[in-house]
Amino acid sequence: MLNLRNYFFTLLLFVLANSIAYAKSIKIPNYGNGGSGFNKTITESTSDLTFKTPELGTESSDVNNNPIYFPKNINGSAIVIVSSCAGIHYKSAQDLKRWNALFLSKGYVTAVVNTSSYPRKKNCGRKKTQSPSRGVKDIYDATRSISKVQGVNKDKIFVIGFSLGAMNGAKSIWSKNAKLALKEGEILPAGVAGLYGGCKYGNKNKITKKYLFPDLDRPVLWLMGEDDNEAPAKDCKVVKVIKEKNKLSDYHIYKNATHCWDCKASNGFTKKVGNGNVVTYIYNEKATSDSEERVLAFFNKITNTLK
């Protein structure tokens, strides 16, 4: 009985110790506003992500707990895969595993970022559990971690993000954040591919948050769905300006495509989103296949300019 009591007491101390460690506040650069205003830094209650030790990846490699994988034949480039606001759960893991396997098959080193890793919570809706700065710093933490893999050229690290992951990816290459990040010694993505990312919150009378800006430091590929009522394409007119400014940037709107069109495992899922709309995710095989081709071509196009 005494040994059992000691066991539970030790277990309680372990849980409390870890909770205290995770709860410790840290100061990070104010990437939410590009370091503008009076606050150059913000106090963030969410700790930095911890990435696993790099290992050889396969088609069946697990995408949980922020893994880093290398293929049998490294092409010198790397891709950071960033989850949506809900993080990685059973269904989304199946879809991200497919993306991860695709990139590994093409010779890319990969890092799969779960933005809601324990003890973090889901970061969805208008009242998010994490600050905008946290999401952007997650991108830089990932590029720094994956750059340490032998054979990776730090100038050829790309990001692909889904929904909020796309939004944070785009904000990581916003000129103001890029300037601030370089001062911090961070590694900027060479380009960002975003699937069904929102460009702004609010309405025509009051925009509360912006994620996609016209002044980007690196190229972006922005893929949108015509029937996406969660992150409407009509809110992303800025993509035209971006494409005019940077010949490597591009965008595309898929007809008859909803939010999360590549989410085969979540096909038919319905929910009410932050803008008040009730949305249903419909898997679109044609749009998914085309997205894969466009993303790979986009990264290859940038890589060719860096040789």
Side-chain angles (χ1 to χ4, degrees), residues 121-257:
K121 299 179 180 179
K122 289 183 180 181
N123 193 35
C124 302
R126 292 299 184 264
K127 296 182 180 179
K128 294 186 173 7
T129 59
Q130 301 168 27
S131 73
S133 298
R134 173 74 277 168
V136 175
K137 190 172 186 299
D138 284 345
I139 302 294
Y140 299 141
D141 289 344
T143 55
R144 188 190 320 111
S145 294
I146 204 169
S147 72
K148 297 176 183 178
V149 177
Q150 187 175 2
V152 170
N153 183 333
K154 66 180 181 61
D155 296 323
K156 296 180 180 180
I157 299 175
F158 302 98
V159 168
I160 180 173
F162 304 87
S163 197
L164 184 60
M167 295 150 72
N168 286 329
K171 205 162 187 178
S172 75
I173 55 173
W174 176 30
S175 61
K176 290 186 177 180
N177 278 338
K179 184 178 180 180
L180 180 58
L182 289 174
K183 286 183 178 179
E184 295 290 322
E186 303 289 9
I187 297 173
L188 297 181
V192 173
L195 278 70
Y196 41 88
C199 295
K200 61 185 179 182
Y201 283 167
N203 53 49
K204 63 181 180 180
N205 298 319
K206 184 180 180 181
I207 303 302
T208 56
K209 284 188 178 69
K210 287 186 177 182
Y211 286 90
L212 188 63
F213 294 84
D215 53 325
L216 298 181
D217 197 71
R218 304 292 168 90
V220 67
L221 172 65
W222 208 248
L223 303 180
M224 301 163 280
E226 183 183 52
D227 297 338
D228 188 344
N229 294 322
E230 185 170 344
K234 64 180 178 61
D235 291 341
C236 295
K237 295 177 181 178
V238 68
V239 293
K240 296 181 180 179
V241 179
I242 293 172
K243 185 174 181 177
E244 289 175 358
K245 287 188 172 185
N246 190 320
K247 64 180 181 180
L248 292 176
S249 292
D250 204 355
Y251 67 91
H252 183 74
I253 301 176
Y254 291 106
K255 292 183 178 181
N256 304 316

Side-chain angles (χ1 to χ4, degrees), residues 257-278:
T258 66
H259 197 81
C260 220
W261 65 75
D262 67 317
C263 303
K264 187 174 184 179
S266 296
N267 184 44
F269 174 72
T270 299
K271 69 173 182 178
K272 186 174 182 179
V273 294
N275 59 16
N277 291 329
V278 176

Side-chain angles (χ1 to χ4, degrees), residues 75-119:
N75 66 13
S77 301
I79 298 177
V80 174
I81 305 168
V82 190
S83 71
S84 68
C85 67
I88 298 177
H89 47 79
Y90 173 72
K91 290 185 176 180
S92 64
Q94 298 177 57
D95 297 310
L96 291 178
K97 186 179 289 187
R98 185 186 68 247
W99 279 100
N100 186 57
L102 171 67
F103 295 138
L104 285 170
S105 72
K106 302 299 181 181
Y108 290 97
V109 173
T110 63
V112 187
V113 181
N114 182 0
T115 55
S116 296
S117 298
Y118 179 83

